Amino acid sequence: MLIDTSGTYTRELRKAQQIINVLLSKLYPGDSFAVARIDTGSFSEKDIVAKVTFDDRPSKANQQKRIFKEEINKFVKSVKPASYTDITGGILQAAEYLNEKNPGQKTILIFSDLKEELDKRYNRDIQFKLKGYDVIALNVTKLRTDNFNPQEYLDRLQEWQIRVESGGGKWKVTNDMDQIDNILIN
């Protein structure tokens, strides 16, 4: 799960924390899960906040879930807003992590307004390779400028859908957080 930590989006992190807690309750022994921040330059291992592959023993897996939850709580309390939003770098890092784990199902969750803003030194004109991946955008909040021109919001969603699907991935947007229980069920 990628969490946008840029600018005002840090106000949304409590919602991300709730989603992570729900997801942790749905994961099984043997599942792998990682949470990474989307910040100025997200194509880096250092942006992974917490990661785990749950033990086959349920009691050990439950202990791992508690530790994971504590790591996320610490992160949410201490995170500072990033200057930029490198969503592309985050997706590339997530795909790399999942390729290394080679799970039966590859899902990338993006908790963001999907407004990518890059430092001019970063090149993210890259074609994704996401065949076999589900990419789900969560809590895509509307920006102030979207109120003036809703087409900007719709264009942002469409641009990400095109990028993900042209790379072979499946795209979905879920803004109804009451549906979070169904996220991992295809």
Side-chain angles (χ1 to χ4, degrees), residues 117-164:
E117 295 176 300
L118 298 171
D119 183 308
K120 62 183 177 186
R121 296 173 296 165
Y122 292 88
N123 175 15
R124 296 297 188 247
D125 187 21
I126 297 169
Q127 170 102 25
F128 292 132
K129 294 179 182 173
L130 297 172
K131 185 175 181 182
Y133 286 82
D134 292 308
V135 180
I136 304 170
L138 305 170
N139 194 54
V140 184
T141 59
K142 294 172 183 74
L143 303 171
R144 183 173 297 183
T145 56
D146 296 335
N147 284 328
F148 298 114
N149 182 4
Q151 191 62 46
E152 288 183 18
Y153 173 78
L154 298 172
D155 289 347
R156 217 165 48 246
L157 293 177
Q158 186 174 23
E159 286 172 23
W160 283 106
Q161 180 175 0
I162 290 169
R163 284 192 74 188
V164 167

Side-chain angles (χ1 to χ4, degrees), residues 1 4 9 11-16 19 109-114 136-142 153 156-157 172-177 180 183:
M1 180 169 168
D4 188 340
Y9 216 77
R11 286 187 230 144
E12 300 288 323
L13 292 182
R14 296 278 179 209
K15 285 183 190 172
I19 292 168
L109 305 171
I110 306 172
F111 187 87
S112 172
D113 58 21
L114 298 179
I136 304 170
L138 305 170
N139 194 54
V140 184
T141 59
K142 294 172 183 74
Y153 173 78
R156 217 165 48 246
L157 293 177
K172 183 177 179 182
V173 176
T174 300
N175 287 324
D176 182 359
M177 294 300 107
I180 203 75
I183 281 179

Side-chain angles (χ1 to χ4, degrees), residues 21-184:
N21 289 339
V22 170
L23 294 173
L24 283 172
S25 71
K26 303 289 181 192
L27 294 171
Y28 295 100
D31 287 345
S32 294
F33 185 48
V35 172
R37 71 176 146 239
I38 297 172
D39 65 4
T40 302
S42 302
F43 186 57
S44 170
E45 284 274 335
K46 70 174 180 55
D47 288 309
I48 297 175
V49 175
K51 60 183 178 180
V52 67
T53 297
F54 297 111
D55 197 275
D56 289 337
R57 296 167 293 174
S59 62
K60 179 71 175 168
N62 286 335
Q63 182 183 17
Q64 290 174 301
K65 289 178 181 182
R66 281 192 295 277
I67 292 169
F68 195 97
K69 187 177 173 181
E70 289 171 12
E71 290 175 22
I72 296 302
N73 291 346
K74 282 185 206 170
F75 168 73
V76 169
K77 287 180 184 174
S78 66
V79 69
K80 304 281 189 246
S83 301
Y84 297 97
T85 313
D86 179 17
I87 298 169
T88 302
I91 291 173
L92 292 171
Q93 184 64 45
E96 190 170 273
Y97 172 79
L98 289 169
N99 283 336
E100 289 173 6
K101 291 294 177 187
N102 197 25
Q105 180 181 347
K106 297 177 181 175
T107 304
I108 299 173
L109 305 171
I110 306 172
F111 187 87
S112 172
D113 58 21
L114 298 179
K115 174 90 172 163
E116 184 162 70
E117 295 176 300
L118 298 171
D119 183 308
K120 62 183 177 186
R121 296 173 296 165
Y122 292 88
N123 175 15
R124 296 297 188 247
D125 187 21
I126 297 169
Q127 170 102 25
F128 292 132
K129 294 179 182 173
L130 297 172
K131 185 175 181 182
Y133 286 82
D134 292 308
V135 180
I136 304 170
L138 305 170
N139 194 54
V140 184
T141 59
K142 294 172 183 74
L143 303 171
R144 183 173 297 183
T145 56
D146 296 335
N147 284 328
F148 298 114
N149 182 4
Q151 191 62 46
E152 288 183 18
Y153 173 78
L154 298 172
D155 289 347
R156 217 165 48 246
L157 293 177
Q158 186 174 23
E159 286 172 23
W160 283 106
Q161 180 175 0
I162 290 169
R163 284 192 74 188
V164 167
E165 290 178 352
S166 68
K170 293 181 184 172
W171 173 256
K172 183 177 179 182
V173 176
T174 300
N175 287 324
D176 182 359
M177 294 300 107
D178 292 335
Q179 298 296 316
I180 203 75
D181 287 346
N182 299 324
I183 281 179
L184 299 179

